[in-house]
């Protein structure tokens, strides 16, 4: 396959490209490229428009992609794609400013083909996805910002780009523009306005560390990786999580916090990140590592209730633009890939009837509803409001767990019986039984 | 250049960051060059590691300076923006917009300004932030 590793897609492609395609895809991320690749491989004339200099140059995530959904679109991608490490260990930490309770799962299964997940850098991984689409016969038109949709008799008939003579026509436009859904809003498909209750702001730093040191510090086999999610006081008690992922010879460290809690508390995301990096158990892991890059991105966390209308006359919406993120399991890229593929399959089915109107494209919605994409989004439709209204999950509870653990493990003059009483008293003073029951009930109702 | 503006407790490391900045990373001009009064951006060191392809055309705009001046006490955008693009100029009584260092995340259009007083577009194709890792 054409890996095009250090060579951005030719910026001049647009000059020689035709002015009409069967399908135009807006955005060269996982959703857009899954759609583009699937269509090109089926022999459809398709162009993918990307505003960056190459696919991935504007993209950022914490860093894990899952093998199964990715290989449904790009079979055996792990043999060639630029991956960092296959993840063999998943940790969950409940951390306070000076202590941590760590839950860890490790499996040898995760270390052999087809693997479970990989850490990746999107600026490299998405570029590879784009190279696959190009090799399959798609047009990748980079450095091109789509500014508007073209309409004809009320249906979407193409796009207007920022280039001179930048109009391109198509039977169908697949919008995969990402979390800032300018076109989705303009097309009247959005159901929630962009607002702070529905997005999390993630900031991340890439830190360089020799790979032997990474493997030593994180207790990993050569080439294997760890993914650590952290909740607790380290997000300043705000609804959010911290993360640390190991890459080949770098570490990704960051925090994602609901934007409305940042705004309400007049707190900066990078201030939280800087404090996070000072937490003693974390600081040890990143000691001596030198910063390589800083990045920021929004995560759509409005969930099922905020999903836009996913189809219209001549138009489909996929990926982050469609709000396809599962905030509980931190999944987004896999839902994007699957939705892009299903958008493409819908277009292929509709081509047989030669119809691309709303009624025909509604097939996309039905396909999504039968898939994990909408089933998972529906399951967690109350997750974000639940997390936002229960900040104790991010402050009080981890703090209390650590206090109990500390007391339990501290050997002093107290008899064990008295220690037990003390622990119970400590717990009750912080969390009255009624409150605990209510929180458990809310969690059960919101997340199951 | 941004050394003297470094994190209070990370002065030395900040120096190392600069040295380690890979070739091609464009180091943003320091706050003085952008015409900022003190205090300087706390994220200057972080942004110094990011590559930008500078567009001369601003893609961010304050819709109504009066809203910043009269209604917004907290100057929310100066806190919510992860690239500290926005800075309150107490002398000129306005928000200055260092769009050059924008990471294009969309916070300012998604409630980062509770008054919805910031117009954000993307930079023109090929311009703006260019992640090497992402």
């Amino acid at each position: 396959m054409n890996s095009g590793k250090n060579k951005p897609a030719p910026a001049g492609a647009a000059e020689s490209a035709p002015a009409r395609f069967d399908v135009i895809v807006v955005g060269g991320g996982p959703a857009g490229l899954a759609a583009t690749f699937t269509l090109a491989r089926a022999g459809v004339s398709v162009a993918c428009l990307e505003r960056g200099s190459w696919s991935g140059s504007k993209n950022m995530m914490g860093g894990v992609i899952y093998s199964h959904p990715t290989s449904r679109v790009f079979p055996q991608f792990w043999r060639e794609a630029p991956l960092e490490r296959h993840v063999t260990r998943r940790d969950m930490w409940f951390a306070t400013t000076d202590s941590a309770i760590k839950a860890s799962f490790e499996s040898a299964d995760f270390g052999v083909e087809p693997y479970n997940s990989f850490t990746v850098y999107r600026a490299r991984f998405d570029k590879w996805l784009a190279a696959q689409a190009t090799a399959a016969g798609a047009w990748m038109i980079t450095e091109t910002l789509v500014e508007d949709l073209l309409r004809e008799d009320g249906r979407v008939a193409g796009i207007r780009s920022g280039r001179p003579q930048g109009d391109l026509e198509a039977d169908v436009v697949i919008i995969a523009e990402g979390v800032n859904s300018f076109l989705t809003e303009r097309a009247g498909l959005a159901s929630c306005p962009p607002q702070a209750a529905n997005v999390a702001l993630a900031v991340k730093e890439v830190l360089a560390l020799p790979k032997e040191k990474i493997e030593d510090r994180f207790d990993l086999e050569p080439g294997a990786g760890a993914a650590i999610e952290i909740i607790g006081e380290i997000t300043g008690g705000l609804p959010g999580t911290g993360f640390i992922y190991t890459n080949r010879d770098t570490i990704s460290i960051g925090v994602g916090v609901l934007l409305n809690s940042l705004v309400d508390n007049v707190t900066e995301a990078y201030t939280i990140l800087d404090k996070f990096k000072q937490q003693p158990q974390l600081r040890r892991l990143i000691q001596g590592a030198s910063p390589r890059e800083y990045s920021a991105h929004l995560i759509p966390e409005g969930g099922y209730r905020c999903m836009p209308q996913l189809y219209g006359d001549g138009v489909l919406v996929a990926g982050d633009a469609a709000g396809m993120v599962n905030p509980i399991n931190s999944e987004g890229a896999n839902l994007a890939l699957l939705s892009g593929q299903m958008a493409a399959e819908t277009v292929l089915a509709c081509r047989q009837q030669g119809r691309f109107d709303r009624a025909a494209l509604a097939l996309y919605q039905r396909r999504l509803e039968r898939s994990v994409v909408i089933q998972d989004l529906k399951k967690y439709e109350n997750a974000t409001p639940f997390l936002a209204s229960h900040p104790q999950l991010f402050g009080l509870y981890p703090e209390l767990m650590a206090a109990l653990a500390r007391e339990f493990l501290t050997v002093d003059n107290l008899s064990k019986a008295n220690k037990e009483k003390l622990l119970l008293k400590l717990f009750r003073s912080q969390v009255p039984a009624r409150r605990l029951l209510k929180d458990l009930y809310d969690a059960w109702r919101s997340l199951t | 250049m941004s050394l003297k503006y470094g994190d209070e407790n990370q002065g030395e490391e900040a120096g190392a960051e600069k040295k380690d900045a890979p070739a091609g990373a464009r180091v943003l001009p320091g706050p003085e060059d952008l015409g900022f009064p003190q205090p300087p951006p706390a994220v200057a060191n972080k942004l110094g590691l990011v590559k930008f392809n500078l567009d001369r055309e601003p893609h961010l705009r304050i819709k109504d300076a009066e809203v910043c001046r009269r209604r917004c006490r907290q100057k929310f955008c100066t806190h919510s923006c992860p690239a500290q693009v926005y800075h309150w100029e107490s002398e000129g009584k306005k928000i200055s917009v260092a769009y050059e260092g924008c990471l294009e995340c969309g916070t300012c259009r998604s409630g980062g300004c509770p008054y919805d007083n910031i117009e954000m577009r993307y930079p023109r194709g090929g311009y703006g932030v260019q992640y090497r890792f992402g």
Side-chain angles (χ1 to χ4, degrees):
Chain A
M1 281 189 243
N2 164 18
S3 85
K5 211 172 174 193
N6 293 311
K7 195 180 57 176
E15 276 77 47
S16 49
R20 187 181 165 81
F21 295 90
D22 293 336
V23 185
I24 287 170
V25 178
V26 182
L33 291 170
T36 306
F37 175 72
T38 306
L39 288 164
R41 217 182 28 176
V44 174
S45 90
V46 53
C48 176
L49 282 78
E50 162 59 44
R51 67 191 184 90
S53 292
W54 69 86
S55 273
S57 62
K58 300 286 185 183
N59 303 349
M60 173 277 222
M61 69 176 189
V64 172
I65 59 144
Y66 289 89
S67 195
H68 182 85
T70 309
S71 64
R72 280 184 64 170
V73 189
F74 300 94
Q76 301 200 327
F77 67 97
W78 58 84
R79 303 228 161 131
E80 292 177 48
L83 305 167
E84 294 294 323
R85 287 173 181 270
H86 56 268
V87 177
T88 52
R89 210 176 72 232
R90 298 292 301 257
D91 290 4
M92 177 86 192
W93 291 16
F94 301 91
T96 70
T97 46
D98 66 348
S99 65
I101 295 177
K102 306 176 183 181
S104 182
F105 177 75
E106 190 170 349
S107 172
D109 271 18
F110 288 175
V112 294
E113 285 192 19
Y115 305 99
N116 179 53
S117 59
F118 299 92
T119 49
V120 297
Y121 280 120
R122 294 284 303 278
R124 298 166 182 178
F125 185 71
D126 292 9
K127 186 195 267 185
W128 182 84
L129 297 180
Q132 307 317 299
T134 308
W139 288 85
M140 282 301 306
I141 305 177
T142 55
E143 302 195 335
T144 304
L145 179 66
V146 174
E147 294 177 345
D148 208 348
L149 298 169
L150 299 179
R151 288 182 176 275
E152 206 178 276
D153 306 326
R155 70 172 198 93
V156 173
I159 59 94
R160 170 153 296 164
S161 79
R163 286 178 179 270
Q165 285 108 45
D167 289 4
L168 296 176
E169 292 176 6
D171 293 331
V172 187
V173 174
I174 298 176
I175 300 177
E177 60 185 336
V179 58
N180 290 307
S181 48
F182 293 102
L183 293 177
T184 312
E185 289 160 28
R186 195 164 289 183
L189 298 168
S191 63
C192 292
Q195 59 191 21
N198 298 326
V199 289
L201 172 59
V203 292
K204 167 174 126 169
E205 278 181 48
V206 173
L207 308 173
L209 199 65
K211 64 172 189 283
E212 298 76 22
K213 273 201 173 165
I214 292 179
E215 284 155 8
D216 276 357
R217 284 187 195 180
F218 290 83
D219 187 19
L220 296 164
E221 299 273 355
I228 307 174
E229 307 267 345
I230 303 157
I231 67 172
E233 186 52 38
I234 40 165
T235 51
L238 303 181
T241 54
F243 57 84
I244 176 160
Y245 298 129
T246 55
N247 302 298
R248 209 178 289 256
D249 51 10
T250 53
I251 288 169
S252 298
I253 183 165
V255 293
V257 182
L258 275 179
L259 183 56
N260 60 347
S261 67
L262 283 174
V263 172
D264 290 349
N265 290 282
V266 201
T267 305
E268 302 88 10
Y270 45 83
T271 307
I272 294 178
L273 176 58
D274 284 341
K275 280 193 194 144
F276 183 61
K277 287 167 65 185
Q278 295 300 319
Q279 203 273 0
Q281 285 83 34
L282 266 169
R283 193 174 53 198
R284 202 167 61 210
L285 293 175
I286 61 170
Q287 194 125 46
S290 54
R292 284 286 186 270
E293 191 170 77
Y294 170 67
S295 53
H297 212 279
L298 287 183
I299 308 168
E301 299 208 339
Y304 184 69
R305 295 169 180 192
C306 270
M307 282 177 93
Q309 179 70 37
L310 298 171
Y311 58 94
D313 288 314
V315 64
L316 295 170
V317 190
D320 272 9
M324 292 169 179
V325 163
N326 166 353
I328 296 294
N329 302 76
S330 306
E331 290 176 31
N334 57 333
L335 304 180
L337 283 160
L338 293 175
S339 67
Q341 186 183 42
M342 281 184 263
E345 288 165 354
T346 303
V347 171
L348 293 175
C350 291
R351 271 168 68 85
Q352 307 208 324
Q353 317 160 25
R355 279 180 54 196
F356 302 100
D357 56 301
R358 237 179 102 77
L361 292 174
L363 175 64
Y364 177 50
Q365 176 94 27
R366 295 197 296 275
R367 275 175 186 268
L368 285 166
E369 275 171 9
R370 284 197 303 268
S371 75
V372 295
V373 178
I374 285 197
Q375 285 169 10
D376 284 0
L377 284 165
K378 263 192 186 158
K379 175 171 167 56
Y380 292 134
E381 68 177 326
N382 295 316
T384 299
F386 166 72
L387 298 175
S389 60
H390 292 72
Q392 59 269 37
L393 295 174
F394 304 93
L396 175 65
Y397 283 124
E399 201 73 36
L400 188 58
M401 282 164 66
L404 294 174
R406 184 182 291 112
E407 194 54 48
F408 182 72
L409 296 168
T410 304
V411 174
D412 48 26
N413 272 336
L414 225 51
S415 72
K416 296 304 172 200
N418 281 335
K419 190 139 251 179
E420 227 173 77
K421 278 184 203 153
L422 181 75
L423 289 176
L424 205 61
K425 204 174 138 192
L426 180 64
F427 188 86
R428 283 193 176 145
S429 70
Q430 296 297 314
V431 187
R434 196 183 302 169
R435 179 152 173 209
L436 178 67
L437 285 174
K438 186 176 182 313
D439 285 348
L440 286 171
Y441 176 70
D442 289 350
W444 176 72
R445 273 199 33 175
S446 308
L447 303 179
T448 60
Chain B
M1 165 174 48
S2 59
L3 234 179
K4 60 186 172 210
Y5 302 114
D7 295 354
E8 327 69 61
N9 48 4
Q10 287 191 331
E12 278 177 30
E13 273 180 51
E17 283 176 23
K18 283 294 170 231
K19 251 182 282 153
D20 288 338
R26 196 180 71 84
V27 177
L28 275 180
E32 283 167 343
D33 307 324
L34 291 172
F36 283 145
Q38 299 296 323
V43 289
N45 286 332
K46 298 188 200 296
L47 286 178
L49 299 165
V50 184
K51 192 177 172 210
F52 293 93
N53 204 351
L54 187 62
D55 193 352
R56 284 174 200 282
E57 218 174 89
H59 63 284
L60 305 169
R61 190 177 68 85
I62 302 289
K63 292 178 191 170
D64 179 0
E66 280 298 300
V67 172
C68 310
R69 201 171 299 153
R70 307 217 180 272
R71 288 181 60 197
C72 181
R73 288 205 182 163
Q74 299 274 18
K75 318 302 176 202
F76 286 101
C77 60
T78 65
H79 300 279
S80 61
C81 171
Q84 251 190 0
V85 160
Y86 305 99
H87 184 84
W88 175 246
E89 289 182 10
S90 45
E91 281 179 25
K93 297 220 182 299
K94 62 172 184 137
I95 295 282
S96 64
V97 183
Y99 74 93
E100 300 90 336
C102 170
L103 296 170
E104 300 162 33
C105 65
T107 295
C108 56
R109 74 183 284 275
S110 306
C113 170
Y115 299 93
D116 192 19
N117 194 36
I118 298 173
E119 183 185 298
M120 183 223 176
R121 291 176 296 122
Y122 278 137
R124 292 177 296 163
Y127 289 101
V129 68
Q130 203 166 79
Y131 288 131
R132 288 163 299 117
F133 296 92

